[in-house]
Amino acid sequence: MRKTVAIATAAAATTMVVAACGDATPAPPEETTAEGKPTEQEPTGEPTAEETTEAEPFDPRSVDLTNMAWRYASVGVAPVQVDFSDGEALGHFDRWDGQFVIEDEPLYVDMDDDGDEDVVASASFNAELQPETYQWVTTEWFVWLTDGEQLVQMPYPLTSSGDCASRTESVQPAGGGLGVDVVQNQVGWQSECAAGASISVDRTVRVEHGNDGEAWLVQTEPFPSWGGDCRPLAGDVSQLEASDVSVAPGLDAASPDKRAMVDESELWMSETVDGWDFVTYLHEGDANFVSYCGWVPSS
């Protein structure tokens, strides 16, 4: 009987040693409340993977303008929709049928001082004179504003080059990093087409927002004026006071202070804004007769 008890005791001891080797550090007892219920664990404060994932900011450089719908217009011809595919499209513009093409790389620059890159891009229209025979008519530059989720095209052309019209030499980021510097050769007032675009006009343009949030192209240098493309003075003229001409509807008055003549010929742009007409003006003291544009309250 004693031998049996000794063997049993030894076996029990062996079992305890094995168990101890398997888990040398016993688990601490679960914390409980006074009522014997398990306590709730305090949050660690570390965000989950889902909480730390943020949407990537919109990148205007990721947008392929060669495969998008544009609203194509000139200062004298109302917009038409152009659905580009790989930078080309067929359609009608003014009195021609022809081909729209995008050839130049876009320019990325902050136009409205919100810290985001906007886009300035150009496209051209070539009239079809004969089957598969095209002649260049015009190139128009447009501003596309970043709204945080997409690019939104402004409707009015920034500048242009045209057959028997003004010629844009360059569009580059402005020296201060806001807006663009535009160099354009303009056709002089009452000049023949054959004389060509001979008046050099340098200007700085940015985008400003009115009280209603509407975005407008505004010239800041050499003085405040309309910042979009401007048609040289050509129609009926009249006299207006300086305070009558604004850089854009609802914004500040244009400068300089005195004007000699204002062209009030109706253009499609005047029909787009209730209560305002788009005009061309000359100012006194300018021997070159450079044309500038602005907006006046509708009469």
Side-chain angles (χ1 to χ4, degrees):
M1 177 65 69
R2 291 177 181 175
K3 183 176 182 179
T4 302
V5 172
I7 294 173
T9 302
T14 302
T15 302
M16 292 176 62
V17 171
V18 172
C21 292
D23 187 4
T25 304
E30 183 175 347
E31 295 183 8
T32 61
T33 62
E35 292 78 16
K37 297 180 181 180
T39 58
E40 296 182 358
Q41 295 295 322
E42 293 293 331
T44 62
E46 297 179 358
T48 64
E50 182 177 350
E51 292 174 336
T52 57
T53 301
E54 296 182 0
E56 291 292 331
F58 173 73
D59 182 6
R61 296 174 184 260
S62 67
V63 178
D64 183 5
L65 291 176
T66 66
N67 286 285
M68 286 184 61
W70 290 43
R71 296 287 288 172
Y72 192 88
S74 70
V75 71
V77 182
V80 296
Q81 180 166 317
V82 181
D83 297 317
F84 281 104
S85 176
D86 295 332
E88 295 185 358
L90 298 177
H92 186 82
F93 186 67
D94 200 5
R95 59 184 182 274
W96 302 285
D97 290 316
Q99 176 190 59
F100 297 89
V101 293
I102 300 173
E103 297 177 323
D104 296 329
E105 292 296 319
L107 179 68
Y108 298 94
V109 59
D110 185 2
M111 291 294 295
D112 56 356
D113 200 19
D114 64 354
D116 295 327
E117 281 188 330
D118 304 301
V119 183
V120 178
S122 64
S124 300
F125 175 76
N126 304 314
E128 187 174 28
L129 303 181
Q130 297 177 1
E132 299 184 1
T133 301
Y134 297 95
Q135 177 176 305
W136 173 72
V137 174
T138 184
T139 300
E140 306 290 336
W141 280 256
F142 296 93
V143 173
W144 299 71
L145 292 178
T146 299
D147 71 355
E149 298 179 351
Q150 61 182 344
L151 292 179
V152 179
Q153 182 187 358
M154 298 187 69
Y156 310 116
L158 168 69
T159 187
S160 68
S161 287
D163 185 21
C164 196
S166 298
R167 298 291 182 98
T168 296
E169 297 298 319
S170 67
V171 179
Q172 299 293 334
L178 174 62
V180 290
D181 289 332
V182 178
V183 178
Q184 186 182 54
N185 290 328
Q186 191 180 101
V187 176
W189 178 50
Q190 295 183 335
S191 296
E192 296 293 333
C193 174
S198 58
I199 303 174
S200 180
V201 180
D202 299 356
R203 56 198 183 94
T204 300
V205 179
R206 58 171 292 178
V207 172
E208 293 186 5
H209 295 269
N211 293 331
D212 57 358
E214 188 73 19
W216 300 101
L217 297 167
V218 174
Q219 173 183 298
T220 57
E221 296 292 341
F223 51 79
S225 188
W226 170 243
D229 200 23
C230 182
R231 189 183 72 169
L233 192 70
D236 296 331
V237 297
S238 61
Q239 297 284 343
L240 283 181
E241 295 295 330
S243 59
D244 289 338
V245 182
S246 299
V247 299
L251 296 184
D252 295 337
S255 296
D257 295 334
K258 295 182 179 179
R259 290 163 181 79
M261 292 171 286
V262 174
D263 177 3
E264 297 184 276
S265 298
E266 292 186 2
L267 295 173
W268 68 268
M269 297 171 66
S270 297
E271 299 175 358
T272 63
V273 185
D274 290 339
W276 292 87
D277 291 329
F278 185 71
V279 299
T280 303
Y281 67 88
L282 304 177
H283 66 86
E284 293 185 18
D286 183 359
N288 291 322
F289 297 103
V290 175
S291 292
Y292 295 98
C293 285
W295 298 77
V296 298
S298 300
S299 56

